[in-house]
């Protein structure tokens, strides 16, 4: 009898433990991985019963995980594609729930030694589609442009392709890097390189000031320029959920959008939405 | 003096030691430099190797392999029934194990061009399912051309893969009008490459010309037109989506020499036509899908389709679309059918299914009129059926799902047809396990 009672107590404790320790999984955008980790760390400090597991991999990977049910939240640095919404509709009868959590200036990175200070959107497009291959064509020295970018599972890749390249393909000479940090590291080492990524990653490199067209004024991705809309390549950073959040999930999303959650957005280097 | 000598000796000793240390440091620095150079070479070698591997992996990523297997157990009310719940039961059997699908799909996705080959391997044999090339123009990336064997662009249920579909089978209406779902032909597709919020982003069109025989060789010179204009309206704030479309089938079935097309729309006499070469095969379809979330219950979808038109069948006993050259007379009927399908999420892992479908192969006659007069050429192929299905889907993990489903089938009765003078005992229970990757 004692053994049975002991077994029941252990079982109850095991279930109790499982119930109390709610796990929220977050997967997706590499651009957002630092931000998501900071959110998770801070939130878990004040909510000891909640474990938030954050992994990167890219927006496409995160959204695929949301569709196949292996993550609770997908981080994405681009809006969900219609094809992804279709899959979500098929499996969960839902369009998904989109939460805009931060704003980012999609920055064009240059090596600090590069004399080029500003580029128009058209020039950036021409460099990334392979029409311009030498820095002298955009006011720099006579040197081949080394083009770095992201892999196609990245939301930054998709956003840049759709909004800067107008849907055209990247040049075949672009070296695809597995994360924004890798792009930045490559640019730090290569004086003739160019890359793109989130504003929060800019250590050891400089931003190119970007102008809408040849006659416009060029702006760097500062908070002021992004909020005012002057910086021409801005985007939202999103969280996606399968259905409307409830319980712990709702509490976490509400906290991300609260003053405390949004202050972390600023600390990491992005721009709050509230 | 001794002190001076001692000082000089000590100084020499210290200097010698310092020199030795400097030599040692010099040697160590050179060693380190050599090591760094060596490591640098190794890293560059690894980087080169990585880039080569990456190029290979990138090329391989274009090849996509997917598939699913559906194994199921079914139990019918009595032995040897005719059924649309996975096919007829063999004589003497009222329960069975079957592999409903054993699909393997290989696709090569080169962004604007696609190659797709899909086969189906079951205990009944090996069959071709898809074999097509898809080409998209590179400028707007909105227009595409598809050629080969692929799903007919009609309605919703054809293109809704059975691996995703909640109910085990398509409705009787679809199985009768579009056996095998696919056809051989060429299709033009318009799917605007614009942000989804743009007005045009809510619409799409697929339409083309097909042989009209399913996955079978061409048998006549006439091509059938099949097309669908679809829309998708999302209301994000409300988490509501309304999708739908209008579909059309305009085609014909070739009449064999010396045979007749019987228009079977009169309970006393069928009119015969021997002059027309092709019997009309014309359908008009409407489909709609609504996705929404109910308070407490969660997300659901309600889907419905309605199709009506003219359908040429191969006999008085069947209104199914011919899939080969017809040797006998053709029976032309005005038909209509519809289905409603409700799927309610029960958490993330379970779904409740309710489906009701009706197919009336001949809307001009009913009940005892069928089989009453021989000259009317009416028979089992004119009997109306309705099916109420109820079931549960459980998603075990990303790959495996279980389906429990019961089909309750009701038929129109005619006292003039011995085999159909009462409701048939043809209800079927299905338990399915599916693995998809």
């Amino acid at each position: 009898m004692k053994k049975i009672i002991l077994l029941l107590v252990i079982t109850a404790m095991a279930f109790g433990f499982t119930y109390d320790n709610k796990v929220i999984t977050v997967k997706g955008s590499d651009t957002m991985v630092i931000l998501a980790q900071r959110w998770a760390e801070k939130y878990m400090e004040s909510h000891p019963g909640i474990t938030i597991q954050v992994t990167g991999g890219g927006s496409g990977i995160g959204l695929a995980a949301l569709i196949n049910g292996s993550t609770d939240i997908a981080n994405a640095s681009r809006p969900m594609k219609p094809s992804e919404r279709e899959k979500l509709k098929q499996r969960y009868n839902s369009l998904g729930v989109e939460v805009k959590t931060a704003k980012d200036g999609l920055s064009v990175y240059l090596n600090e030694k590069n004399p080029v200070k500003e580029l128009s959107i058209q020039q950036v497009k021409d460099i990334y589609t392979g029409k311009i291959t030498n820095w002298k064509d955009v006011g720099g020295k006579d040197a081949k442009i080394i083009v770095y970018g992201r892999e196609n599972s990245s939301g930054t890749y998709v956003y840049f392709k759709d909004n800067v390249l107008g849907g055209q393909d990247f040049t075949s000479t672009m070296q695809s890097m597995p994360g924004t940090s890798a792009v930045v590291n490559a640019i730090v080492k290569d004086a003739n390189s160019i890359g793109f990524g989130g504003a929060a990653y800019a250590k050891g490199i400089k931003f190119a000031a970007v102008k809408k067209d040849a006659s416009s004024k060029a702006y760097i991705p500062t908070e002021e320029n992004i909020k005012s809309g002057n910086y021409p390549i801005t985007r939202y950073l999103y969280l996606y959920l399968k259905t409307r959040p409830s319980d712990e999930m709702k509490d976490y999303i509400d906290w991300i959008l609260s003053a405390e959650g949004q202050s972390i957005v600023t600390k990491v280097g992005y721009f709050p939405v509230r | 003096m001794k002190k001076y000598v001692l000082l000089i000796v000590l100084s020499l000793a210290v200097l010698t030691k310092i020199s030795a240390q400097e030599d040692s440091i010099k040697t160590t620095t050179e060693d380190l430099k050599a090591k760094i150079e060596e490591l640098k070479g190794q890293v560059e070698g690894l980087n080169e190797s990585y880039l080569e591997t990456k190029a290979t992996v990138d090329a391989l990523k274009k090849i996509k392999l997917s598939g699913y297997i559906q194994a199921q157990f079914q139990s019918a009310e009595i032995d040897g029934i005719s059924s649309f719940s996975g096919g007829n039961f063999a004589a003497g059997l009222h329960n069975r194990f079957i592999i409903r699908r054993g699909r393997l799909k290989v696709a090569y996705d080169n962004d604007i061009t696609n190659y797709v080959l899909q086969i189906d391997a079951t205990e009944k044999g090996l069959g071709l399912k898809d074999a097509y090339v898809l080409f998209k123009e590179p400028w707007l990336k909105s227009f595409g051309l598809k050629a080969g064997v692929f799903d007919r662009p009609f309605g919703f249920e054809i293109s809704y893969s059975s691996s995703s579909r909640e109910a085990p089978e398509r409705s009787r209406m679809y199985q009768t009008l579009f056996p095998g779902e696919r056809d051989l032909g060429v299709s033009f597709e318009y799917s605007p490459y614009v942000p989804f919020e743009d007005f045009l982003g809510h619409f799409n069109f697929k339409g083309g010309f097909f042989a009209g025989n399913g996955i079978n060789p061409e048998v006549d010179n006439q091509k059938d037109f099949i097309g669908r204009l679809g829309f998708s309206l999302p209301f994000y704030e409300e988490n509501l989506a309304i999708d739908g479309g209008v579909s059309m089938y305009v085609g014909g079935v070739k009449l064999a020499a010396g045979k007749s097309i019987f228009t079977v729309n009169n309970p006393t006499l069928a009119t015969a036509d021997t002059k027309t070469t092709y019997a009309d095969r014309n359908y008009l379809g409407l489909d709609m899908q609504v996705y929404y979330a109910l308070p407490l219950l969660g997300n659901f979808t309600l889907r419905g389709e309605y199709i009506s038109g003219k359908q040429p069948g191969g006999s008085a006993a069947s209104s199914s679309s011919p899939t080969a050259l017809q040797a006998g007379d053709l029976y032309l009927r005005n038909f209509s059918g519809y289905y409603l399908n409700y799927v309610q999420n029960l958490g993330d892992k379970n779904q409740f299914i309710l489906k009701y479908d009706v197919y009336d192969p001949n809307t001009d006659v009913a009940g005892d009129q069928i089989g009453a007069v021989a000259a009317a050429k009416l028979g089992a192929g004119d009997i109306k059926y309705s099916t109420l299905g109820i079931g549960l889907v459980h998603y075990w993990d990303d790959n495996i799902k279980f389906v429990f489903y019961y089909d309750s089938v009701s038929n129109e009765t005619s006292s003039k047809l011995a085999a159909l003078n009462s409701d048939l005992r043809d209800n079927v229970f299905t338990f399915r396990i599916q693995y998809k990757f």
Side-chain angles (χ1 to χ4, degrees):
Chain A
M1 185 65 189
K2 278 183 183 173
K3 280 181 184 174
I4 293 170
I5 290 170
L6 188 67
L7 191 69
L8 286 172
V9 169
I10 291 169
T11 310
M13 282 172 70
F15 276 107
F17 178 77
T18 309
Y19 179 76
D20 285 338
N21 194 28
K22 170 75 182 171
V23 178
I24 297 174
T25 53
V26 183
K27 191 174 181 66
S29 166
D30 285 317
T31 302
M32 293 175 69
V33 76
I34 295 173
L35 176 61
Q37 280 167 350
R38 297 286 181 277
W39 275 331
E41 287 160 10
K42 194 73 182 170
Y43 186 80
M44 285 190 290
E45 279 176 17
S46 53
H47 297 77
I50 307 283
T51 302
I52 301 168
Q53 296 170 345
V54 179
T55 50
S59 302
I61 303 290
L63 289 165
L66 186 76
I67 292 161
N68 70 29
S70 57
T71 190
D72 298 317
I73 298 174
N75 287 336
S77 57
R78 60 162 172 86
M80 191 184 268
K81 293 178 188 173
S83 58
E84 289 162 339
R85 286 207 190 269
E86 279 307 310
K87 287 176 186 167
L88 207 60
K89 271 198 312 197
Q90 280 188 11
R91 173 61 184 85
Y92 297 102
N93 299 321
S94 170
L95 285 172
V97 175
E98 178 184 280
V99 184
K100 287 173 181 161
T101 61
K103 220 171 175 187
D104 180 27
L106 187 50
S107 312
V108 176
Y109 307 141
L110 300 177
N111 184 283
E112 284 178 332
K113 291 176 190 163
N114 194 325
V116 173
K117 288 181 180 164
E118 60 181 54
L119 293 165
S120 69
I121 294 262
Q122 186 62 46
Q123 286 173 323
V124 176
K125 179 180 176 181
D126 289 346
I127 288 171
Y128 271 92
T129 52
K131 282 183 190 159
I132 293 176
T133 56
N134 195 302
W135 282 112
K136 71 179 179 187
D137 295 329
V138 290
K141 58 188 177 182
D142 183 7
K144 188 184 169 192
I145 302 174
I146 309 299
V147 180
Y148 288 100
R150 295 291 312 281
E151 291 173 323
N152 60 10
S153 58
S154 149
T156 306
Y157 170 103
V158 174
Y159 188 88
F160 197 82
K161 184 178 176 183
D162 287 347
N163 294 278
V164 179
L165 307 191
Q168 288 187 34
D169 289 329
F170 284 94
T171 172
S172 59
T173 61
M174 182 178 85
Q175 295 184 44
S176 302
M177 310 304 280
T180 307
S181 299
V183 173
V184 170
N185 287 339
I187 290 165
V188 168
K189 289 174 193 163
D190 194 336
N192 298 317
S193 59
I194 185 170
F196 60 83
Y201 281 82
K203 280 184 183 170
I205 49 102
K206 70 174 184 181
F207 293 130
V210 180
K211 49 189 177 182
K212 281 180 187 165
D213 51 55
S215 58
S216 307
K217 192 181 168 191
Y219 293 92
I220 56 170
T222 61
E223 180 174 1
E224 186 188 353
N225 291 334
I226 287 168
K227 278 188 171 172
S228 65
N230 285 328
Y231 184 73
I233 325 173
T234 57
R235 60 175 174 174
Y236 284 105
L237 302 178
Y238 305 91
L239 299 186
Y240 283 98
L241 301 101
K242 292 187 276 273
T243 52
R244 285 192 194 283
S246 58
D247 305 328
E248 296 91 348
M249 190 84 84
K250 184 177 185 310
D251 190 61
Y252 183 50
I253 302 295
D254 288 344
W255 178 85
I256 284 172
L257 297 174
S258 71
E260 192 178 3
Q262 291 292 292
S263 71
I264 293 170
V265 170
T266 310
K267 280 179 196 161
V268 171
Y270 297 116
F271 310 101
V273 287
R274 292 190 177 185
Chain B
M1 184 62 187
K2 276 183 184 175
K3 282 180 182 173
Y4 284 116
V5 171
L6 189 65
L7 191 66
I8 288 165
V9 169
L10 279 172
S11 299
L12 280 171
V14 169
L15 284 172
T16 308
K17 194 166 183 182
I18 288 170
S19 173
Q21 278 179 345
E22 276 179 353
D23 286 348
S24 170
I25 288 166
K26 201 175 172 185
T27 312
T28 311
T29 309
E30 279 168 5
D31 281 352
L32 275 173
K33 273 185 181 171
K35 287 244 178 204
I36 287 167
E37 283 303 314
E38 191 186 333
L39 282 171
K40 204 174 165 187
Q42 284 177 356
V43 169
E44 278 169 6
L46 280 172
N47 191 39
E48 204 171 305
S49 167
Y50 161 75
L51 290 173
E52 279 176 19
T53 309
K54 191 173 175 304
T56 309
V57 170
D58 284 346
L60 287 172
K61 268 166 73 177
K62 292 179 178 177
I63 300 170
K64 290 173 181 167
L65 198 64
S66 60
Y68 61 94
I69 288 174
Q70 293 173 339
Q72 63 191 36
F73 172 78
Q74 292 187 294
S75 179
E77 281 187 288
I78 56 170
D79 287 348
I81 62 161
S82 296
S83 177
F84 280 71
S85 304
N88 297 341
F89 281 71
L93 292 185
H94 66 268
N95 66 50
R96 65 187 177 191
F97 286 110
I98 60 169
I99 301 169
R100 182 182 176 274
R101 297 283 186 268
R103 295 287 173 87
L104 187 65
K105 185 175 180 179
V106 183
Y108 184 82
D109 184 352
N110 201 14
D111 202 14
I112 58 167
T113 57
N114 283 265
Y115 157 102
V116 176
L117 183 69
Q118 184 172 208
I119 56 166
D120 189 39
T122 69
E123 78 276 19
K124 297 172 203 78
L126 190 67
L128 174 72
K129 285 297 160 190
D130 286 306
Y132 64 83
V133 56
L134 173 64
F135 168 76
K136 270 193 175 177
E137 47 77 26
W139 305 283
L140 297 172
K141 295 183 178 177
S142 297
F143 298 93
L145 196 73
K146 203 187 232 185
V149 174
F150 51 93
D151 283 340
R152 294 160 168 123
F154 192 103
F156 173 80
E157 207 172 37
I158 284 184
S159 57
Y160 194 42
S161 165
S162 73
S163 65
S164 304
R165 198 180 53 241
E166 302 82 7
E169 300 296 338
R170 289 181 177 82
S171 55
R172 180 180 289 255
M173 169 176 76
Y174 267 106
Q175 292 190 56
T176 307
L177 302 175
F178 300 100
E181 299 87 56
R182 292 157 177 82
D183 209 334
L184 179 61
V186 61
S187 169
F188 168 80
E189 301 186 358
Y190 174 62
S191 180
Y193 187 80
V194 294
F196 196 53
E197 292 73 25
D198 283 17
F199 177 74
L200 274 179
H202 298 303
F203 297 93
N204 62 76
F205 172 78
K206 289 180 181 179
F209 294 93
F210 295 83
N213 301 310
I215 312 170
N216 291 295
E218 179 76 89
V219 294
D220 59 45
N221 289 319
Q222 176 164 308
K223 303 294 170 273
D224 297 354
F225 171 81
I226 311 174
R228 178 180 185 265
L229 178 65
F231 66 87
S232 184
L233 301 175
F235 302 91
Y236 297 115
E237 290 301 314
E238 293 78 17
N239 201 7
L240 165 71
I242 302 173
D243 299 352
V246 180
S247 303
M248 186 176 274
Y249 193 116
V250 181
V253 174
K254 192 178 182 184
L255 182 69
K259 297 296 176 184
S260 302
I261 299 170
F262 290 109
T263 301
V264 286
N265 60 358
N266 187 307
T268 54
L269 182 67
T271 54
D273 179 355
T274 55
K275 292 178 182 168
T276 307
T277 319
Y278 288 89
D280 286 344
R281 184 182 178 187
N282 299 335
Y283 315 151
L284 184 66
L286 301 169
D287 67 89
M288 186 173 279
Q289 304 83 45
V290 177
Y291 304 84
Y292 192 56
L294 287 173
L296 299 174
L297 279 175
N299 290 74
F300 76 89
T301 179
L302 181 63
R303 306 181 188 117
E305 288 198 62
Y306 173 81
I307 307 174
S308 72
K310 285 184 185 299
Q311 167 73 345
S315 73
S318 169
S319 66
S320 281
S321 295
T323 54
L325 190 60
Q326 295 299 289
D329 297 325
L330 293 173
Y331 292 69
L332 192 59
R333 301 174 173 95
N334 292 315
F335 76 92
S336 73
Y338 66 91
Y339 74 81
L340 289 168
N341 188 188
Y342 177 76
V343 180
Q344 175 66 56
N345 288 5
L346 304 171
D348 276 358
K349 295 280 186 185
N350 300 296
Q351 287 177 325
F352 168 75
I353 320 155
L354 195 62
K355 187 174 182 180
Y356 183 67
D357 83 62
V358 173
Y359 175 59
D360 185 354
N362 194 336
T363 53
D364 297 310
V365 294
D368 288 349
Q369 291 176 336
I370 301 167
V373 181
K377 293 193 175 293
L378 300 169
D382 299 280
I383 294 290
K384 178 181 176 181
Y385 283 85
S386 60
T387 307
L388 178 66
I390 186 166
L392 194 71
V393 182
H394 175 71
Y395 296 86
W396 179 262
D397 60 17
D398 302 351
N399 304 111
I400 291 179
K401 75 171 181 183
F402 299 101
V403 181
F404 304 85
Y405 198 80
Y406 189 76
D407 262 331
S408 177
V409 187
S410 303
N411 55 274
E412 183 179 32
T413 59
S414 169
S415 60
K416 309 298 179 188
L417 295 174
L420 287 155
N421 58 9
S422 62
D423 187 32
L424 300 172
R425 295 184 64 198
D426 52 359
N427 297 349
V428 176
F429 168 74
T430 301
F431 168 63
R432 173 183 297 174
I433 179 167
Q434 172 182 292
Y435 191 99
K436 183 183 179 185
F437 71 96

